Amino acid sequence: MATLGLVEYEDAAPEVRAVYDDIMATRKVDWINNFWKALAHDPVTLRRTWQSIKEIMAPGALDARTKEMVYLAVSVTNQCGYCIASHTAAARKAGMSDQMFAELMAVVGMANETNRIVTGYQVEIDPQFRA
Amino acid sequence: MATLGLVEYEDAAPEVRAVYDDIMATRKVDWINNFWKALAHDPVTLRRTWQSIKEIMAPGALDARTKEMVYLAVSVTNQCGYCIASHTAAARKAGMSDQMFAELMAVVGMANETNRIVTGYQVEIDPQFRA
Amino acid sequence: MATLGLVEYEDAAPEVRAVYDDIMATRKVDWINNFWKALAHDPVTLRRTWQSIKEIMAPGALDARTKEMVYLAVSVTNQCGYCIASHTAAARKAGMSDQMFAELMAVVGMANETNRIVTGYQVEIDPQFRA
Amino acid sequence: MATLGLVEYEDAAPEVRAVYDDIMATRKVDWINNFWKALAHDPVTLRRTWQSIKEIMAPGALDARTKEMVYLAVSVTNQCGYCIASHTAAARKAGMSDQMFAELMAVVGMANETNRIVTGYQVEIDPQFRA
Amino acid sequence: MATLGLVEYEDAAPEVRAVYDDIMATRKVDWINNFWKALAHDPVTLRRTWQSIKEIMAPGALDARTKEMVYLAVSVTNQCGYCIASHTAAARKAGMSDQMFAELMAVVGMANETNRIVTGYQVEIDPQFRA
Amino acid sequence: MATLGLVEYEDAAPEVRAVYDDIMATRKVDWINNFWKALAHDPVTLRRTWQSIKEIMAPGALDARTKEMVYLAVSVTNQCGYCIASHTAAARKAGMSDQMFAELMAVVGMANETNRIVTGYQVEIDPQFRA
């Protein structure tokens, strides 16, 4: 169970409800996932975290699908079960196909492999890579 | 210095040169970066690693630029200095603009933050996220 | 199930019981948690690990509550489910309030975020930070 | 060198200068460290990151010194060289003594050790630790 | 449940069956574990991953048992539950005794501890360790 | 520079010298590496860490060379530069050949890759792997 419990919509204070409403409106969904309900015991962190994610994940030079796939790549590298489940769902909703998912995992796996091999061999950075 | 030293092109055995030649032809460059020169003491691993990367990083359902940015996102999460330097260069060559880089880092940072917060709060996975 | 199983008090050899007794006396509890029961198949590691933790976690320049919160911060960063559950309990017992927990998680999240952003931007250490 | 270079105060746009000014005023220092100068190419991220850190690191239920030590503990766990250097300096400024630092490192080390041992032994969470 | 589901032998395409058959023949087992069934939606990655593992894990200068224990050590460090379960089984099959397991965990724990302490203290590499 | 500086033999208090002497005698070397000199400002941690390492790394069911290679595998996974340098030297001294090193890195790389792929695909643990 979540450490501080979950704050359901009907039990939420007005400033928490305002965040919940904005999450549902922005994402065009009619429910709030547990992450936000767990954070809601600390309304300041809830608001700041949602505002940051809303700002960061909005389409910009990178589209929403690419951003969700990067979020998933990081979550897989960090082995965060909740995040993998939630961002796999989000990436699919943003258009990630099964083939894209499979290629994404292949890149994530390979990067994790060579990250260690290059450090393990104590390879110095080539001068060409220094800006 | 690299643990086993670096194998320069002129000192390389034919099977190593064949890999070096394929790297330069595939990437349209005229030099070999230190990672491959360090691996070349173990020609079997050199060949396998290059074949895997060549296969994985080729454009597919995901384009080359997206793949390089994912590679960079993983390398940043793992704090691999060499990989960050080399894949920043590769991603730029594949079309990553400064603005894309900045947005990529923002997503990587946020994912690393919420990965810990959600686990730290011991949040259970919503049934909606279970396929 | 634990790889080597759990050693219950009634089945434990004298040197294991001695450690169990010291754990219960030091922590003022009347039960042994699974971590120690799993380690007990290797009495040398059991004893060394307990002696180290007992020495490290005793109040010193840092009080017990701060030490438990740091232990929790590391466990969250490493995504260790068992450790998060056990050290959340331990930190609360040592006086961590819900508000302290929420602030702790906010700091842990932010540190995990900026750790990646600064490395991702390949920022050099300021000379002022070198002692 | 930083991927996008560093933005010095005299070259900064007004919204960047405003952040720099607030950093110096809040921290009572007369210089800006490289992290902020590297972020300044992306004024939106610069502002959001500074606002978040300012809010999170302000004294609350946890005092500033404890927060800085937790920040350092996470940075050490993640092996972030820049962050270790900068937050060691910040923690000292906030009152961390050499003895506190030594005890902090001992706790961080021990947590990293037992995080792996407990997971490696596949120990199940005790029912007592589930809230 | 696995993101893309599991491909059972009877439902598998010929190129997937060929990999499954080789896995069973190489490992002298009569079943396929879930990892391969999950990967099988992407036959190219399935084949490449199996060929790489087959090549890497074959006895060479290091024997099979040592390789499996190293695989387990890495999986424990990364906190990968599936990998710990599967490679504990594989290492035991390759001859790892309970005592070897216990010593392995002790080394893994200690390395994780000192990795952080040395970085936390910002210790410079001794010139004697530079090849 | 090390955060608290380095304690040279000639400046060391008797209890620190005793540890230094035991390190040199046990390892049959005539110098002390920086890790210990950095820890020496905290003689209690110095003594405990050395006693633990001495006990853990002594040959047992696993020989010294295997233990050093596991230590290196963990250090590479954690990307600890100092530890990679020092334990590569220690493993070589204990008999690790260049070929063993290359095979070790290949296993470490592969484990880091599949650790992420299996978690990324959300693969459930096979009942056969549960003891």
Side-chain angles (χ1 to χ4, degrees):
Chain A
M1 264 191 51
T3 303
L4 303 184
L6 302 175
V7 178
E8 299 298 336
Y9 189 90
E10 47 275 21
D11 306 319
E15 83 259 37
V16 168
R17 278 197 188 186
V19 174
Y20 284 5
D21 287 337
D22 193 37
I23 291 172
M24 292 190 285
T26 303
R27 296 186 163 175
K28 303 189 202 326
V29 294
D30 62 357
W31 61 289
I32 294 293
N33 57 301
N34 289 342
F35 175 58
W36 305 110
K37 292 182 188 168
L39 268 190
H41 286 281
D42 178 9
V44 172
T45 296
L46 174 70
R47 178 197 47 70
R48 186 184 59 241
T49 306
W50 166 243
Q51 286 300 330
S52 295
I53 285 190
K54 188 181 177 183
E55 188 171 301
I56 290 169
M57 299 305 282
L62 300 179
D63 58 79
R65 193 183 69 201
T66 299
K67 288 184 172 184
E68 281 294 347
M69 287 194 296
V70 169
Y71 217 114
L72 180 53
V74 170
S75 302
V76 168
T77 299
N78 286 330
Q79 313 264 57
C80 174
Y82 186 93
C83 316
I84 292 170
S86 62
H87 287 280
T88 296
R92 280 175 154 169
K93 198 173 160 190
M96 178 181 71
S97 67
D98 285 3
Q99 184 58 26
M100 287 175 185
F101 170 77
E103 293 187 14
L104 181 67
M105 288 304 102
V107 176
V108 168
M110 197 71 213
N112 272 288
E113 176 171 351
T114 59
N115 281 188
R116 271 60 182 215
I117 292 179
V118 75
T119 308
Y121 273 85
Q122 303 184 272
V123 184
E124 288 184 352
I125 299 179
D126 306 74
Q128 292 92 331
F129 291 145
R130 299 195 180 277
Chain B
M1 264 192 53
T3 303
L4 303 183
L6 303 175
V7 178
E8 299 298 335
Y9 189 89
E10 47 274 20
D11 306 318
E15 83 258 37
V16 168
R17 279 197 187 186
V19 174
Y20 284 6
D21 288 337
D22 194 37
I23 291 172
M24 291 191 286
T26 303
R27 296 188 163 173
K28 303 188 201 327
V29 294
D30 61 357
W31 60 290
I32 294 294
N33 58 300
N34 288 342
F35 176 57
W36 305 110
K37 293 182 187 169
L39 268 189
H41 286 281
D42 178 8
V44 172
T45 296
L46 174 70
R47 177 197 47 71
R48 186 184 59 242
T49 306
W50 166 243
Q51 286 300 328
S52 294
I53 284 189
K54 188 181 176 182
E55 190 172 300
I56 290 169
M57 298 306 282
L62 300 179
D63 58 79
R65 191 182 70 201
T66 300
K67 288 185 172 184
E68 281 294 347
M69 287 193 297
V70 169
Y71 217 113
L72 179 54
V74 170
S75 301
V76 167
T77 299
N78 286 329
Q79 313 264 59
C80 174
Y82 186 93
C83 316
I84 292 169
S86 61
H87 287 280
T88 296
R92 280 176 154 168
K93 197 173 159 189
M96 178 181 72
S97 66
D98 285 2
Q99 184 58 24
M100 287 174 185
F101 170 77
E103 292 187 15
L104 181 67
M105 289 304 104
V107 176
V108 168
M110 197 71 213
N112 272 289
E113 175 170 351
T114 60
N115 281 188
R116 270 61 182 216
I117 292 179
V118 76
T119 307
Y121 273 84
Q122 302 184 273
V123 184
E124 288 184 350
I125 299 180
D126 306 73
Q128 292 93 329
F129 292 144
R130 298 195 181 277
Chain C
M1 264 192 50
T3 303
L4 303 183
L6 302 175
V7 178
E8 299 297 337
Y9 189 89
E10 46 276 19
D11 306 319
E15 84 259 36
V16 168
R17 278 197 188 186
V19 174
Y20 285 5
D21 287 338
D22 193 37
I23 291 172
M24 292 190 286
T26 304
R27 295 186 165 175
K28 302 188 201 330
V29 294
D30 62 358
W31 61 289
I32 294 293
N33 58 300
N34 289 341
F35 175 57
W36 305 110
K37 293 182 187 169
L39 267 190
H41 287 280
D42 179 8
V44 172
T45 297
L46 175 70
R47 178 197 46 71
R48 186 184 58 242
T49 306
W50 167 242
Q51 287 300 330
S52 294
I53 285 190
K54 187 180 176 182
E55 188 172 302
I56 290 168
M57 299 305 283
L62 300 178
D63 58 79
R65 191 182 70 200
T66 299
K67 287 184 172 185
E68 281 295 345
M69 287 193 297
V70 168
Y71 217 113
L72 180 54
V74 170
S75 301
V76 168
T77 298
N78 286 329
Q79 311 263 58
C80 174
Y82 186 93
C83 316
I84 292 169
S86 62
H87 287 280
T88 296
R92 279 175 155 170
K93 198 173 159 189
M96 177 181 72
S97 67
D98 285 2
Q99 184 58 25
M100 286 174 185
F101 170 77
E103 294 187 12
L104 181 68
M105 289 303 103
V107 176
V108 168
M110 197 71 214
N112 272 288
E113 176 171 350
T114 59
N115 281 188
R116 270 60 181 215
I117 292 179
V118 75
T119 308
Y121 272 83
Q122 302 184 273
V123 184
E124 289 184 351
I125 299 178
D126 307 73
Q128 292 92 330
F129 292 145
R130 299 194 182 278
Chain D
M1 263 192 52
T3 303
L4 303 183
L6 302 175
V7 178
E8 298 298 336
Y9 189 90
E10 46 275 20
D11 306 317
E15 83 258 37
V16 169
R17 278 197 188 187
V19 174
Y20 284 5
D21 287 338
D22 194 37
I23 292 173
M24 292 190 285
T26 304
R27 296 187 164 173
K28 303 188 201 332
V29 293
D30 61 358
W31 61 289
I32 295 293
N33 57 300
N34 289 342
F35 175 57
W36 305 109
K37 292 182 188 169
L39 268 189
H41 287 281
D42 179 8
V44 172
T45 297
L46 174 71
R47 177 197 47 72
R48 186 184 59 243
T49 306
W50 166 244
Q51 286 299 329
S52 294
I53 285 190
K54 187 180 176 183
E55 189 171 302
I56 290 168
M57 299 306 283
L62 300 179
D63 58 78
R65 192 182 70 201
T66 300
K67 288 184 171 185
E68 281 294 345
M69 287 193 297
V70 169
Y71 218 114
L72 179 54
V74 170
S75 302
V76 167
T77 298
N78 286 329
Q79 312 263 60
C80 174
Y82 186 93
C83 316
I84 293 169
S86 61
H87 287 280
T88 297
R92 280 176 155 169
K93 197 172 159 189
M96 178 181 72
S97 67
D98 285 3
Q99 183 57 25
M100 287 174 185
F101 170 77
E103 292 187 15
L104 181 68
M105 289 303 104
V107 176
V108 168
M110 197 71 213
N112 273 288
E113 176 170 352
T114 60
N115 281 189
R116 271 60 181 216
I117 292 179
V118 76
T119 308
Y121 272 84
Q122 304 184 272
V123 183
E124 289 183 350
I125 299 178
D126 307 74
Q128 292 92 330
F129 291 144
R130 299 195 181 278
Chain E
M1 265 192 51
T3 303
L4 303 183
L6 302 175
V7 178
E8 298 298 335
Y9 188 90
E10 47 275 18
D11 306 319
E15 83 259 36
V16 168
R17 278 198 189 186
V19 174
Y20 284 6
D21 287 337
D22 193 37
I23 291 172
M24 291 190 285
T26 303
R27 296 187 164 173
K28 303 189 200 329
V29 294
D30 62 357
W31 61 290
I32 294 294
N33 57 300
N34 289 342
F35 175 58
W36 305 110
K37 293 182 188 169
L39 268 190
H41 286 280
D42 178 8
V44 172
T45 297
L46 175 70
R47 177 197 48 71
R48 186 185 58 241
T49 306
W50 167 243
Q51 286 300 331
S52 294
I53 285 190
K54 188 181 176 181
E55 189 171 299
I56 290 169
M57 300 305 284
L62 299 179
D63 59 79
R65 192 182 70 201
T66 299
K67 287 184 172 184
E68 281 294 346
M69 287 194 296
V70 168
Y71 217 114
L72 180 53
V74 170
S75 302
V76 168
T77 299
N78 286 328
Q79 312 264 57
C80 174
Y82 186 93
C83 316
I84 292 170
S86 62
H87 287 280
T88 296
R92 278 176 156 169
K93 198 173 159 188
M96 177 181 72
S97 67
D98 285 2
Q99 184 58 25
M100 286 173 185
F101 170 78
E103 293 187 13
L104 181 67
M105 288 305 102
V107 176
V108 168
M110 198 70 214
N112 272 288
E113 177 171 351
T114 59
N115 280 188
R116 270 62 181 216
I117 292 178
V118 76
T119 308
Y121 272 84
Q122 304 183 272
V123 184
E124 289 185 348
I125 300 179
D126 307 74
Q128 293 92 330
F129 291 145
R130 299 194 180 277
Chain F
M1 263 193 51
T3 303
L4 304 183
L6 302 176
V7 178
E8 300 298 336
Y9 189 89
E10 47 274 21
D11 306 318
E15 83 258 37
V16 169
R17 279 196 187 188
V19 175
Y20 285 5
D21 287 337
D22 194 36
I23 291 172
M24 292 190 285
T26 304
R27 297 186 162 174
K28 303 189 203 328
V29 293
D30 61 358
W31 61 289
I32 294 294
N33 57 300
N34 288 343
F35 175 57
W36 304 110
K37 292 182 189 169
L39 268 190
H41 286 281
D42 178 8
V44 172
T45 297
L46 174 71
R47 178 198 46 72
R48 186 184 58 242
T49 306
W50 166 244
Q51 286 300 329
S52 294
I53 285 189
K54 187 181 177 183
E55 189 171 300
I56 290 169
M57 299 306 283
L62 300 178
D63 58 78
R65 191 182 69 200
T66 299
K67 288 185 172 185
E68 281 294 345
M69 287 193 297
V70 168
Y71 218 113
L72 179 53
V74 170
S75 302
V76 168
T77 298
N78 287 329
Q79 312 263 60
C80 175
Y82 185 93
C83 316
I84 292 170
S86 62
H87 287 280
T88 296
R92 280 176 154 168
K93 197 172 160 190
M96 178 181 72
S97 66
D98 285 3
Q99 183 57 25
M100 286 175 185
F101 170 77
E103 293 188 13
L104 180 68
M105 288 304 103
V107 176
V108 169
M110 197 71 213
N112 273 288
E113 176 171 353
T114 60
N115 280 189
R116 271 61 181 216
I117 292 178
V118 77
T119 307
Y121 272 85
Q122 303 185 273
V123 184
E124 288 184 352
I125 299 180
D126 307 74
Q128 292 93 329
F129 292 144
R130 298 196 180 278

